[in-house]
Each structure stands twice: as C-alpha cells, then as structure tokens.
Amino acid sequence: MKIKIINKSNNSLPEYATLGSAGLDLQAYLPEPLTLKSLERKIIPTGLYMSIPVGYEVQVRARSGMAIKHGITVINGIGTIDSDYRGEIGVLLVNLSKDDYTINSGDKIAQMILSKYEQVEFELVENLDNTERNAGGFGHTGY
C-alpha cells in the first residue's frame, strides 16, 4: 500500500527497522535539543504530514527500549491518527522517570503502525444474546 506523505524535516521517511517489523520508526524534528523533565509531557513534532486512506488509522506507539531504559512513553498508550487528519504528526511523550531526558532532532521517538478498521452502526435492543460468560468480569476465568 502506498501512503502520500509530505516530509518537511531533514530526517529520512519512516522506515521498518527489519523485514519482520510491524512498526515504522518516527523521528523527532526539533530546532534544538528538547529536555523532558520528570513527569513532563510534550508534543514532539516530526515534520511529517500524511494522507491516510479511509478505513485505516495510524497508531502511534511507544518504543519499548525508550520505555524500559528511560521511562519515556506515549502519554495515551496508543495515539490514533485518523484518516481525515492532515496536520503535522506529533508524538505525545511523557517522562515517567525521575531523571531528565534529552531528545535531539533525528532521534527515534515512537513507532507507527497502519491499522485497518471498520465503522459500526449501533442497533438499540432490549436484550443481548447469552454466552457462557455472560456478565462475568475481571477474574471470572480464574486468572
């Protein structure tokens, strides 16, 4: 699948690190280094603008290495970029560690995954079909 993209940064286009990679690396596009203090949140620009096809979204996810080594993660777990958004892709990062963390332009800061979705139409009913589980909640299966 081809995605139309504008790159206003001096970074390379997002790319897969390996043949088996699901996510494409996103890089920071900054005029100068940016330091995230402990518990600080910032939107990190990428200089990228995309035309995502209808029926798809781009999910922005944390990089596992940054999360475990430095406590840097995506604020909302997984960010969604909708198919009708045409603004700059920004990555919402938070520093969950006690130490400052400096991000330089060109640093890999997140990964993105293209994901297909369907929109739903709700049908209002009085009852739902029964299942073996029914309303059993957390811990219902013994785990």
Side-chain angles (χ1 to χ4, degrees), residues 2 68 73-74 103 126:
K2 291 190 178 192
I68 193 67
T73 190
V74 175
I103 300 168
E126 295 295 322

Side-chain angles (χ1 to χ4, degrees), residues 3-22:
I3 302 286
K4 293 179 181 174
I5 189 167
I6 295 171
N7 185 359
K8 293 188 177 180
S9 80
N10 53 0
N11 298 322
S12 59
L13 289 178
E15 57 189 9
Y16 296 103
T18 67
L19 183 62
S21 295

Side-chain angles (χ1 to χ4, degrees), residues 12-62:
S12 59
L13 289 178
E15 57 189 9
Y16 296 103
T18 67
L19 183 62
S21 295
L24 297 125
D25 290 324
L26 289 172
Q27 296 172 278
Y29 178 53
L30 300 165
E32 58 189 35
L34 181 146
T35 299
L36 274 177
K37 297 188 181 312
S38 179
L39 301 180
E40 188 173 26
R41 304 173 305 269
K42 295 267 184 186
I43 299 173
I44 310 301
T46 64
L48 301 174
Y49 302 74
M50 292 187 291
S51 179
I52 303 163
V54 172
Y56 290 86
E57 65 162 326
V58 166
Q59 296 179 359
V60 177
R61 301 178 181 192

Side-chain angles (χ1 to χ4, degrees), residues 29-132:
Y29 178 53
L30 300 165
E32 58 189 35
L34 181 146
T35 299
L36 274 177
K37 297 188 181 312
S38 179
L39 301 180
E40 188 173 26
R41 304 173 305 269
K42 295 267 184 186
I43 299 173
I44 310 301
T46 64
L48 301 174
Y49 302 74
M50 292 187 291
S51 179
I52 303 163
V54 172
Y56 290 86
E57 65 162 326
V58 166
Q59 296 179 359
V60 177
R61 301 178 181 192
R63 297 189 75 235
S64 57
M66 285 178 68
I68 193 67
K69 292 176 187 174
H70 306 288
I72 307 300
T73 190
V74 175
I75 294 170
N76 50 343
I78 295 178
T80 293
I81 303 169
D82 295 310
S83 63
D84 56 354
Y85 178 68
R86 295 295 182 268
E88 182 178 10
I89 305 303
V91 178
L92 287 64
L93 292 182
V94 61
N95 181 353
L96 297 178
S97 78
K98 61 181 188 291
D99 302 316
D100 291 355
Y101 184 81
T102 300
I103 300 168
N104 296 291
S105 196
D107 285 354
K108 294 177 182 177
I109 56 169
Q111 57 183 330
M112 66 177 188
I113 294 176
L114 184 71
S115 181
K116 190 172 180 65
Y117 69 86
E118 291 186 43
Q119 288 189 334
V120 300
E121 182 179 327
F122 289 104
E123 177 184 354
L124 188 59
V125 297
E126 295 295 322
N127 296 297
L128 301 175
D129 55 314
N130 288 319
T131 68
E132 184 177 330

